[in-house]
Amino acid sequence: MEEEEIKLTGKALMVYLYVLKKNRVTSKDVKEDLGFSSQSLAIYYLEKLWQMDLLNKEPGGYYSIKKRLNIGIIHFIKYIWLFFLKFLPYSIFFTIIFCYYYLFF
């Protein structure tokens, strides 16, 4: 169980959390809702989770949760921190522009 949690990072973790939330998905759902560039990328991550024995593969291309993992707060904090770092430069830039405009115009 601990080994599976270590392997589950990045986009694989995003796909797992998405399937956990929706219960039953197709590769098309994953591609559209998570913003993947192609359907084959969604299939790759779904198959990866299936090979890790976390998902059930059903007829018609559906995948559902087979085993629930205790993700924990650490993964959630890492995900939020990366999201915060991604938009930090934009927030600084627009704050400076707003202050400049407010003070000088």
Side-chain angles (χ1 to χ4, degrees), residues 32-61:
E32 291 173 356
D33 292 343
L34 295 181
F36 286 171
S37 58
S38 67
Q39 195 166 348
S40 62
L41 187 62
I43 292 171
Y44 169 78
Y45 284 109
L46 288 168
E47 288 291 323
K48 184 177 177 180
L49 292 171
W50 177 70
Q51 289 173 357
M52 291 171 65
D53 204 30
L54 297 175
L55 297 181
N56 285 327
K57 190 188 281 190
E58 300 173 3

Side-chain angles (χ1 to χ4, degrees), residues 1-89:
M1 182 81 129
E2 190 68 31
E3 184 178 335
E4 292 168 351
E5 289 183 39
I6 293 170
K7 291 180 188 176
L8 203 56
T9 59
K11 289 187 179 184
L13 178 62
M14 283 179 26
V15 171
Y16 178 77
L17 292 175
Y18 177 75
V19 176
L20 191 62
K21 179 181 172 187
K22 295 290 185 178
N23 294 327
R24 190 171 181 228
V25 298
T26 63
S27 59
K28 185 177 179 183
D29 298 334
V30 173
K31 177 198 176 289
E32 291 173 356
D33 292 343
L34 295 181
F36 286 171
S37 58
S38 67
Q39 195 166 348
S40 62
L41 187 62
I43 292 171
Y44 169 78
Y45 284 109
L46 288 168
E47 288 291 323
K48 184 177 177 180
L49 292 171
W50 177 70
Q51 289 173 357
M52 291 171 65
D53 204 30
L54 297 175
L55 297 181
N56 285 327
K57 190 188 281 190
E58 300 173 3
Y62 288 97
Y63 292 86
S64 62
I65 291 292
K66 181 176 187 178
K67 188 187 303 180
R68 290 184 180 264
L69 294 179
N70 184 10
I71 300 297
I73 193 73
I74 300 299
H75 289 290
F76 180 72
I77 290 172
K78 285 181 184 178
Y79 185 71
I80 295 298
W81 181 249
L82 290 176
F83 182 78
F84 174 74
L85 289 178
K86 182 178 180 180
F87 291 104
L88 182 64

